[in-house]
Amino acid sequence: MVSSEGLSAPLPPPQAATRQYGVTKPISTAGPTEADIQRTLELEKFLVDAGLYESKEDADKREEVLQRIGQIVKDWVKQLTRLRGYTDQMVEDANALIFTFGSYRLGVHGPGADIDTLCVGPSYVNREEDFFFILHNILAEMEEVTELQPVPDAHVPVMKFKFDGISIDLLYASISLLVVPEDLDISDVSLLYDVDEPTVRSLNGCRVADQILKLVPNIEHFCTTLRCLKFWAKRRGVYSNVTGFLGGVNWALLVARVCQLYPNAVPSMLLSRFFRVYTQWRWPNPVMLCAIEEDELGFSVWDPRKNPRDRTHHMPIITPAYPCMNSSYNVSQSTLRVMVEQFRYGNKICEEVELNKARWCALFEPYLFFESYKNYLQVDIVAADVDDLRAWKGWVESRLRQLTLMIERDTLGMLQCHPYPHEYVDTNKQCAHSAFFMGLQRKQGEKTQGQQFDIRGTVDEFRHSINMYLFWKPGMEIYVSHVRRRQLPPYVFPDGCKRPRPSRIMAQQQADKLPYDDGEVSVTGSGERHLKRKKDLDGVDVNQVMPLEKRQSLSPQPRDSVSPVIISDKASSASPEHSDKGFSMEVVESNKRTLLGETEPEYASNSSTITNVTSKGSCDDAGFGSVAVSSEGNTRSVEGSSVGSNNPGYLQGDVCEADSESLSDNGCGNGNLRQDGSQEALEPNAAFGMLLNSNEGVNSEQKAVIRLSLTSTA
């Protein structure tokens, strides 16, 4: 922990690295200059002033909570051992251990952060009944435990709760031992013998954290840099694994790789190099801290040569512990695009800081999401009470990423989505409420006349996936609506009201700074104001809300209840004065309904409200042609892939020249890993890992499931 009292002392010059960290030689072994040391002191002071470090009292409380939980699981295992008729000696020896991982294990947690914990128990204590039923009931009866939420069907089964106000995520792993020793080495590969996949994933969190700390040159510099990047990612809206961005372990692996490439750099240098490296990184080259190891245990490891699904990954970040996996499989084309743009933003600010043209606070300016797009998807999640909303929201949020993937797939990537990981609450609603938003824009650089994006079937498919929730209760509803920027609800803004329009000069300056201004879909500026005046002439309210079908039963609904009639809005028909850049509007609406006593505008019974905004003439000003949203269509499964992705036919190594401050795009191959399985050796001898190319016929299989409606209205 960095204290404000210790900031005045100069950092000692680091010793020259004597060993190679990672799969390649470092880019530079240069140490810091006096200016670098000064910038590091300023950066650490900024982190302290921003409140990113917890107090000693809070740290002591966390330790106390972990000790309490450790004693609870020991008593739980002893109780089960006695009930199952084991000997008194077995009962006495019965044991369970608590390990930590994530930000707490890495030493980069802040005030109020949760603690990722793993309980390791003996072979006769299982997860399904003993952990999620018996231990759950023990915790539920304790006064210190609140907000208890089991998630047994998650990719990594977890029990979430608060213990004396401290948020805990508790996993469970049953290992092939009758007695768990107190000195258990969690990194020992033998623990993976005779265990199932969920147990391997549960164990991997701790194993990966330990490996990261072993593979970085300087743990203190790594922790400070990671703390900066986590804070930056949250401020810029790109910190969320479940939404399709990166979570804590992903950011830790990216930072650790930069630490390997610059082993003698101090945090200010590492922060700057981070953005420099990943601005130029050629995705989907994988980021690896060490070579991928095979083992006789037979668990699947990340290998695009053998696993077709691995070829669809857009931003592979490989875990260093066996079995090596891609920790960032949730990343989509859209979220990768957003992150790369944010890397460029960070690189630009860091360059200005190094030239003394900016201060560190500029790097951590919050991202103005609601000023960056003209069109948004709003997803409202409601439930009867707070407890129901917590469970319902967790289910819906975990599947919002699928909606992004579906839209990418059904529009061939022409309609880009920017899911925003922040949650918003309308306190004026009588029911428990939560809302998430997605920014929408036409693919940058595409000049298409009168293009219509019909995503009604896409939303309906999303509805079907949401309706698979096994613990649905009356009152749990989800509504999807298309809103324009000027119609955003006031509760998404910090002070409850929209920001005033900037002057022409300020608008141009903001347009130059924000990353999503491509001319056609600009953030601010005269072009957007002109378009806004045009749209205002239509006098059409686009805030049509689409409720997704309430889960009544698993039987199909009558056909006429899900086949709304399209009604054309006469006021928006083609006319000479609007034939250039105007909009037409088609609205389908059914019976209005009430939600828990509160009347919502244009609520319909069976997903029957369709908003169809059609651009006539040039799409350059409109941003994109049209977006039609409802929930009518077929049900299909989405496996996390999307058409148009880089599906590599083979992997090719490339070498980055050592001791170079610049990242060269020219390299030489270190061997090919071909899709046909030929055993050419992979030498993990590249600063950028491996280069993925798309040459094989994977796309031909995926195109069969695409539904796309492109209508010309020119």
Side-chain angles (χ1 to χ4, degrees):
M1 174 175 170
V2 177
S3 63
S4 57
E5 291 82 359
L7 294 176
S8 58
L11 296 178
Q15 299 296 320
T18 58
R19 55 169 285 194
Q20 174 179 311
Y21 292 86
V23 296
T24 63
K25 294 180 180 179
I27 293 178
S28 173
T29 58
T33 64
E34 288 296 329
D36 292 323
I37 294 176
Q38 181 60 36
R39 280 191 288 267
T40 296
L41 293 174
E42 294 172 357
L43 180 62
E44 292 176 342
K45 183 178 186 305
F46 174 84
L47 298 180
V48 172
D49 294 342
L52 298 186
Y53 294 92
E54 67 178 359
S55 65
K56 185 179 184 304
E57 292 75 13
D58 291 339
D60 293 341
K61 183 178 180 180
R62 287 179 183 270
E63 291 291 337
E64 180 183 346
V65 166
L66 288 174
Q67 291 177 5
R68 291 284 309 280
I69 295 175
Q71 188 59 50
I72 291 171
V73 298
K74 289 179 188 296
D75 295 340
W76 163 62
V77 169
K78 288 181 181 294
Q79 173 187 340
L80 290 173
T81 306
R82 184 180 297 106
L83 290 174
R84 287 172 186 172
Y86 287 96
T87 64
D88 292 341
Q89 185 61 45
M90 279 288 292
V91 173
E92 183 179 348
D93 294 339
N95 192 26
L97 297 178
I98 290 291
F99 294 89
T100 61
F101 60 100
S103 61
Y104 186 82
R105 174 68 181 92
L106 295 175
V108 294
H109 62 285
D114 60 359
I115 305 179
D116 296 312
T117 56
L118 168 69
C119 175
V120 177
S123 57
Y124 56 87
V125 177
N126 63 56
R127 180 188 302 106
E128 291 74 16
E129 297 178 2
D130 299 332
F131 180 73
F132 278 114
F133 184 74
I134 298 178
L135 180 60
H136 172 273
N137 291 342
I138 293 174
L139 293 173
E141 295 175 357
M142 302 184 67
E143 293 183 0
E144 302 95 325
V145 176
T146 58
E147 300 181 15
L148 182 59
Q149 179 187 359
V151 192
D153 57 344
H155 186 65
V156 181
V158 61
M159 194 141 55
K160 298 173 176 286
F161 56 93
K162 286 187 176 181
F163 194 100
D164 200 12
I166 304 295
S167 296
I168 303 292
D169 285 356
L170 181 62
L171 314 182
Y172 179 72
S174 174
I175 60 176
S176 300
L177 295 174
L178 286 176
V179 178
V180 179
E182 283 290 338
D183 59 349
L184 180 70
D185 182 6
I186 199 70
S187 298
D188 190 347
V189 179
S190 65
L191 293 181
L192 303 181
Y193 280 103
D194 197 25
V195 297
D196 57 10
E197 289 278 355
T199 299
V200 173
R201 291 192 289 267
S202 299
L203 289 168
N204 239 19
C206 297
R207 291 162 50 79
V208 166
D210 288 350
Q211 280 296 105
I212 291 175
L213 295 177
K214 293 176 182 178
L215 292 172
V216 294
N218 187 305
I219 294 178
E220 182 181 355
H221 292 170
F222 162 76
C223 290
T224 301
T225 308
L226 178 56
R227 194 182 292 272
C228 289
L229 263 301
K230 285 166 60 75
F231 182 55
W232 174 86
K234 292 175 181 178
R235 297 283 282 181
R236 303 302 296 178
V238 291
Y239 189 95
S240 173
N241 184 277
V242 68
T243 312
F245 294 106
L246 301 181
V249 66
N250 310 123
W251 291 106
L253 292 170
L254 291 182
V255 172
R257 185 67 186 117
V258 174
C259 291
Q260 292 179 339
L261 295 174
Y262 300 91
N264 294 325
V266 293
S268 65
M269 299 170 63
L270 292 171
L271 186 60
S272 174
R273 279 19 170 221
F274 178 93
F275 292 114
R276 182 185 304 177
V277 166
Y278 294 115
T279 294
Q280 301 182 48
W281 197 278
R282 292 171 301 197
W283 304 106
N285 287 351
V287 174
M288 301 184 299
L289 300 186
C290 59
I292 296 177
E293 297 181 2
E294 297 281 354
D295 194 275
E296 66 274 6
L297 294 180
F299 289 106
S300 176
V301 299
W302 188 83
D303 189 349
R305 298 170 298 179
K306 302 177 182 178
N307 308 320
R309 185 177 298 181
D310 293 345
R311 302 172 198 151
T312 67
H313 294 166
H314 301 285
M315 193 180 189
I317 303 173
I318 312 303
T319 57
Y322 176 83
C324 298
M325 308 173 184
N326 176 22
S327 63
S328 53
Y329 60 88
N330 278 353
V331 174
S332 67
Q333 287 178 311
S334 291
T335 53
L336 175 60
R337 170 186 60 86
V338 172
M339 285 187 285
V340 169
E341 292 292 346
Q342 291 301 324
F343 290 156
R344 292 172 182 165
Y345 167 86
N347 187 50
K348 179 183 177 183
I349 298 298
C350 284
E351 288 177 349
E352 294 177 352
V353 170
E354 290 179 342
L355 295 174
N356 295 322
K357 294 182 179 180
R359 302 180 66 85
W360 287 120
C361 58
L363 179 65
F364 301 95
E365 285 292 327
Y367 175 61
L368 303 179
F369 175 73
F370 292 109
E371 297 183 20
S372 300
Y373 295 92
K374 299 175 184 176
N375 295 271
Y376 297 85
L377 276 185
Q378 177 176 339
V379 180
D380 290 285
I381 307 166
V382 296
D385 54 47
V386 175
D387 291 333
D388 285 354
L389 179 65
R390 185 181 303 110
W392 178 233
K393 180 185 66 176
W395 168 262
V396 175
E397 187 180 5
S398 69
R399 276 140 186 86
L400 283 177
R401 182 181 66 92
Q402 298 296 329
L403 180 57
T404 302
L405 294 173
M406 293 171 184
I407 293 174
E408 288 180 352
R409 178 199 63 200
D410 291 353
T411 63
L412 287 174
M414 298 297 291
L415 181 60
Q416 296 178 332
C417 303
H418 179 177
Y420 201 51
H422 292 189
E423 172 191 356
Y424 296 89
V425 177
D426 185 358
T427 56
N428 293 324
K429 287 187 178 294
Q430 298 178 1
C431 54
H433 169 264
S434 178
F436 293 90
F437 292 81
M438 294 184 183
L440 299 175
Q441 71 175 9
R442 177 176 50 80
K443 184 178 181 180
Q444 300 176 1
E446 298 291 334
K447 309 288 185 180
T448 307
Q449 293 286 332
Q451 186 176 19
Q452 176 183 356
F453 298 104
D454 187 349
I455 58 174
R456 290 171 290 185
T458 308
V459 173
D460 187 62
E461 180 181 347
F462 176 67
R463 170 183 64 88
H464 282 290
S465 68
I466 294 298
N467 280 344
M468 298 298 292
Y469 187 52
L470 298 177
F471 305 99
W472 184 90
K473 295 181 181 179
M476 292 181 176
E477 301 281 2
I478 177 173
Y479 303 92
V480 179
S481 57
H482 165 228
V483 296
R484 293 179 182 168
R485 182 167 58 197
R486 68 170 181 264
Q487 297 162 328
L488 288 168
Y491 60 79
V492 304
F493 299 96
D495 52 359
C497 61
K498 298 182 180 180
R499 294 165 59 96
R501 280 286 180 185
S503 64
R504 183 180 299 270
I505 297 177
M506 290 297 296
Q508 185 59 45
Q509 291 176 351
Q510 291 184 13
D512 292 338
K513 290 182 179 180
L514 291 173
Y516 298 107
D517 183 8
D518 63 351
E520 292 78 18
V521 188
S522 59
V523 178
T524 56
S526 59
E528 191 278 336
R529 288 195 298 272
H530 176 70
L531 175 61
K532 183 176 185 299
R533 288 196 297 270
K534 279 286 190 181
K535 289 188 288 187
D536 288 341
L537 294 176
D538 296 338
V540 179
D541 184 6
V542 212
N543 193 15
Q544 304 291 340
V545 183
M546 291 162 300
L548 300 186
E549 180 182 5
K550 182 177 179 179
R551 182 190 179 105
Q552 299 286 358
S553 67
L554 296 179
S555 59
Q557 296 296 323
R559 176 172 303 202
D560 57 356
S561 67
V562 293
S563 301
V565 180
I566 298 180
I567 304 173
S568 177
D569 189 349
K570 297 180 181 180
S572 59
S573 59
S575 59
E577 62 270 23
H578 291 288
S579 62
D580 186 18
K581 297 179 182 177
F583 281 81
S584 69
M585 182 77 179
E586 296 178 3
V587 178
V588 178
E589 54 185 68
S590 291
N591 299 329
K592 296 183 179 179
R593 59 176 292 186
T594 60
L595 172 64
L596 298 178
E598 178 182 1
T599 303
E600 295 290 337
E602 306 300 343
Y603 277 108
S605 59
N606 283 319
S607 309
S608 56
T609 304
I610 302 174
T611 304
N612 188 346
V613 186
T614 305
S615 171
K616 297 184 176 181
S618 173
C619 284
D620 295 348
D621 292 332
F624 54 81
S626 79
V627 181
V629 187
S630 91
S631 55
E632 178 183 9
N634 299 323
T635 302
R636 296 185 303 275
S637 63
V638 176
E639 294 296 334
S641 62
S642 58
V643 176
S645 63
N646 290 324
N647 298 297
Y650 65 93
L651 303 176
Q652 179 179 354
D654 64 341
V655 179
C656 184
E657 182 178 353
D659 300 328
S660 171
E661 278 295 319
S662 64
L663 300 177
S664 172
D665 285 341
N666 298 322
C668 59
N670 287 323
N672 296 330
L673 305 181
R674 301 187 181 279
Q675 188 178 355
D676 60 11
S678 59
Q679 301 297 320
E680 294 189 33
L682 167 65
E683 298 177 8
N685 186 10
F688 290 148
M690 297 176 290
L691 175 63
L692 307 188
N693 292 313
S694 176
N695 290 333
E696 299 296 327
V698 180
N699 286 341
S700 61
E701 298 178 359
Q702 296 175 337
K703 289 181 180 177
V705 300
I706 298 174
R707 291 181 296 107
L708 178 63
S709 173
L710 297 178
T711 305
S712 175
T713 59

